[in-house]
Amino acid sequence: MLLETVIGLEIHAELKTNTKIFCSCSTEFGAKPNENTCPVCLGIPGTLPVLNEEVVNLAIKAGKAVNCKINNYNKMDRKNYFYPDLTKNYQTSQYDLPMCVDGMVNFTYEGKEVSVRINRIHIEEDAGKLVHLEDEPVSLIDYNRAGVPLVEIVTEPDLRSPEEAAEFMRQLKGILEYADISDCRMEQGSIRCDANISLRPYGSEEYGTKVEIKNINSFREVQKALEKEEKRQRELYEFGEEYKIKQETRRWDAGKGKTLPMRSKEEAHDYRYFPEPDLTPIIIPQEKVDKIEATLPELPIERKVRFVADYGLSEKEASIIIANRTLAKFYEDVVGLGGNPKTVSNYILGDLLRLLNFNNMEPEDIKISPKNFVDLLKIIEDGKISNTAGKEVFKEMFANDKSPEIIIEEKGLSQISCTDEIEKLVNEVLNNNPKSIKDFKAGKTQAIGFLMGQVMKASKGKANPPVAKQMIEEKLNNM
Ligand code: ADP
Ligand code: ZN
Ligand code: MG
């Protein structure tokens, strides 16, 4: 049976605010356990929440960045559950009137136009973090994260493969980063996703039973977890056992590379949602929405189109460069100082990304100044050093951002173009290789290649190759 995969994502992203959603505790990551807490975010009875306006502003911005309609009247609700990561025993979230609805994200992936409808975006508080100590019969709780503001972005089930789902997450991360809505530091869990997946026979209008995989925090893991679950469901279908696919929540165990059952799916009524009595409804004047919308910067998709049009990059090249805001800025800074757009792109996509990867660094860690980069390109273009030497200088600049002139001087990399110096080397090589001369005279033109190699070696790679080659040929022909 031909089966179609159907995926919808629920993505949680921490908002980039200085303070928490209902109190003035810091949201900074990496503080000592429970340092960033107060009676409000610890849920002490008798305390009252005050909504942080910046949370509303950023959620509106997120909504507009993915083409949502903003609900001018929305409200907070209590989602009740009993779990130690939430001292209040309810999460203050939004239920039937979320802040944003009906959005759309479009992107191209592997030549296919993908449109993903956004069902809703709501704001809510994050929960604390349980720390399970190895070999200790206790679990510890860090409430620093309790009350950190989140947006939950819920897509319609419009994704059709695990790869597409991972790509959507990348696209969304790019949008949130560009618009300064979230830091999206995946390793710190500031963007994480629950992935829902089901299969159905091709052509079927109805969706199959979905399984939800909880709390995945990297693109690679999203894809892997979905692939694994897709395979599990597909096998059940193939054996006619699809009735065994239960609507349930599964956990992704990255270490084992499997999804494991966690609990059967809870329904909305399990949460006994009701309006938050301690907070007034949120009323957002349209002027506020318009004002925030006007502050949206150029987003990744628009920037990609512009990079292709203005700099003659391929779609693929542009996609890689714009995927990171810092990298895109670096590119434009270098090109802005006169770097050839294609050459700069080649250096970035080749040497720079390789060096970053190798050193486990992010584009944010790039030390090379655009000025030194452009100077280096000019030096290569002028033939003062070879392309190979250029790569060596670039590597050195990557490590310490010295000026290329200084590095060339220190490493003695200047190309020898002076004909006198090259002639001396050529004469030496010809004197030492009478056999090659004989070969050449006998019609074996490959001898030139060998002699060239010897000249380059004698010059430690610094001889200007075209000059040297021409000189060898002339001398051989006149012998
Ligand atoms: P629930 O009521 O279980 O919370 P929702 O309809 O609110 O389900 O959807 C939650 C998420 O699951 C959304 O991201 C949605 O796109 C996705 N989803 C819904 N139905 C399916 C399905 N049959 N297959 C895959 N994903 C689905
Ligand atoms: Zn607090
Ligand atoms: Mg739901």
Side-chain angles (χ1 to χ4, degrees), residues 6 8-10 154-157 196-198 207-208 210 247 265:
V6 172
L9 301 178
E10 297 162 280
V154 182
T155 78
E156 295 291 346
N196 301 271
I197 174 166
S198 64
Y207 292 127
K210 75 172 156 59
Q247 179 153 333
K265 171 73 192 174

Side-chain angles (χ1 to χ4, degrees), residues 3-9 115-117 119 155-160 196-211 233 237 242 245 247:
L3 295 168
E4 183 176 44
T5 302
V6 172
I7 297 169
L9 301 178
S115 290
V116 180
R117 289 166 300 155
N119 172 286
T155 78
E156 295 291 346
D158 289 346
L159 293 153
R160 292 292 173 266
N196 301 271
I197 174 166
S198 64
L199 302 182
R200 64 177 172 187
Y202 260 102
S204 159
E205 294 276 316
E206 260 168 69
Y207 292 127
T209 304
K210 75 172 156 59
V211 163
Q233 292 185 18
Y237 262 97
E242 63 269 25
I245 302 169
Q247 179 153 333

Side-chain angles (χ1 to χ4, degrees), residues 212-244:
E212 176 175 5
I213 313 168
K214 274 278 176 210
N215 249 326
I216 322 171
N217 63 1
S218 86
F219 303 130
R220 206 174 315 138
E221 296 300 323
V222 169
Q223 187 173 332
K224 274 207 282 191
L226 284 169
E227 279 167 356
K228 248 323 188 351
E229 179 57 24
E230 183 184 45
K231 181 159 174 280
R232 191 184 71 91
Q233 292 185 18
R234 188 175 294 274
E235 282 171 356
L236 287 169
Y237 262 97
E238 274 163 11
F239 284 91
E241 304 266 307
E242 63 269 25
Y243 66 91
K244 285 192 175 155

